Amino acid sequence: MKDINIGLAIEYKGKLITQNQIKLLMALHKTKSQNEASKLLNISPSSFNIQLKRLENKLGVKLYYSSPNGTILTDTGLEILETYNSYSKRLKNHFFTVSGFVSGEIAKILFENPIITSFDNALKLLKMGFVDILGVDDSYWIYRLGDERFLKSEIGSSDFNIFLIAYDNFVMVSKKEFDYKNLVGVRFSSQRIVYNILKKEGIKFKVKIKTKNPFRAIELVNEGYSLFLNESLLKYVDGDFNVEYPNFYKKTVHAINFISFGKDIEIDKKELKKIKKLGFKYECL
């Protein structure tokens, strides 16, 4: 598929759309035929249809419909492609902000059109040299990125500035009674802070399932798992869920930071006041 260039995964309503799934939509939009689109991608028509159906089920929306003019993308399908194209243009312009899911809540206020994704994807973009501002959810990565040797080995540069924006805490979310031995974990998050506290407190726990996306973790609570969730993301929690504040709540505090690479960034202090409304604690800079 030489004429369709894909190099970026995107997020739609808290769900990640992979590069291969973007290819499905682009090929279908170009050919208006599942058979022709499958040829373009060098896969069987049945495999194309199955993957497309899986994407629809994942997002919970209709992505295409049949018409006299062929198989056409719905408005939602077109919106996803427009989002991808917007991100691609920013890649070419070489100036944009990438954030983890928690720092992304702040990035949406402070910066124009940030890309919000799992932190491993953010690191991949950083290593490719596409990141000017990086939102970091986990202070562990501030420590790692603050090591000049790490930056030089990973991106070939150590020209950066770290600025503290806000603090967050963890709360306990469950469908019924909170079960420490049936936890859902979020990779590349600050949940490790909670796990360390549990070990010190002598509380036995077990992470039964893991995901990269806290929004997916919230969905898994519906399936009976318990979740330590960033307090700033409580607005996305179903009203039927139980929300508790652990006895060690104050110990779960962690910083949300941003890193600028070779750019002078100025933040209007008036914008910082909006951060508190999101559920964060903040420091005026």
Side-chain angles (χ1 to χ4, degrees), residues 11-43:
E11 180 194 355
Y12 178 78
K13 293 187 176 179
K15 296 182 174 63
L16 192 67
I17 304 175
T18 67
Q19 296 177 15
N20 285 335
Q21 290 168 335
I22 290 290
K23 285 183 180 181
L24 299 175
L25 298 179
M26 293 190 74
L28 186 58
H29 185 53
K30 181 173 183 177
T31 63
K32 295 180 174 56
S33 162
Q34 290 195 41
N35 286 335
E36 293 302 316
S38 64
K39 292 179 183 177
L40 197 60
L41 296 174
N42 197 28
I43 59 177

Side-chain angles (χ1 to χ4, degrees), residues 30-213:
K30 181 173 183 177
T31 63
K32 295 180 174 56
S33 162
Q34 290 195 41
N35 286 335
E36 293 302 316
S38 64
K39 292 179 183 177
L40 197 60
L41 296 174
N42 197 28
I43 59 177
S44 68
S46 60
S47 177
F48 183 95
N49 183 260
I50 289 172
Q51 292 182 54
L52 197 59
K53 289 290 186 183
R54 284 177 179 169
L55 180 58
E56 284 190 324
N57 291 335
K58 176 182 180 180
L59 301 180
V61 295
K62 190 71 177 173
L63 295 174
Y64 68 95
Y65 63 93
S66 298
S67 79
N69 295 321
T71 304
I72 308 298
L73 292 185
T74 63
D75 289 343
T76 300
L78 291 173
E79 178 187 348
I80 291 170
L81 287 189
E82 288 173 3
T83 300
Y84 166 78
N85 289 331
S86 174
Y87 288 174
S88 295
K89 287 178 182 178
R90 275 183 279 147
L91 278 172
K92 293 176 182 178
N93 292 335
H94 195 61
F95 185 91
F96 64 102
T97 301
V98 178
S99 288
F101 291 105
V102 178
S103 55
E105 297 295 298
I106 297 175
K108 286 184 285 189
I109 288 180
L110 299 180
F111 307 107
E112 183 178 356
N113 298 321
I115 293 176
I116 301 171
T117 184
S118 61
F119 198 66
D120 60 331
N121 284 338
L123 287 177
K124 289 175 185 176
L125 290 173
L126 175 65
K127 292 176 183 179
M128 293 167 64
F130 291 137
V131 179
D132 294 288
I133 304 171
L134 178 67
V136 184
D137 301 348
D138 186 354
S139 54
Y140 165 78
W141 281 103
I142 286 294
Y143 170 77
R144 289 294 305 276
L145 293 169
D147 186 335
E148 291 187 2
R149 294 169 299 177
F150 176 82
L151 284 174
K152 285 180 178 178
S153 65
E154 295 296 323
I155 65 174
S157 172
S158 59
D159 182 15
F160 67 96
N161 291 299
I162 298 175
F163 46 104
L164 176 65
I165 295 296
Y167 296 96
D168 202 359
N169 288 80
F170 280 97
V171 296
M172 303 159 64
V173 179
S174 59
K175 188 70 174 177
K176 296 181 180 179
E177 184 177 353
F178 194 88
D179 187 351
Y180 288 93
K181 295 184 179 180
N182 192 33
L183 299 177
V184 52
V186 181
R187 298 181 188 274
F188 302 99
S189 78
S190 287
Q191 278 184 337
R192 58 178 185 77
I193 294 173
V194 176
Y195 302 152
N196 287 335
I197 294 172
L198 293 177
K199 290 175 183 178
K200 291 179 181 178
E201 297 283 337
I203 301 174
K204 294 183 179 181
F205 68 96
K206 187 170 185 178
V207 179
K208 287 287 189 70
I209 190 171
K210 294 182 179 180
T211 179
K212 294 180 181 180
N213 189 327

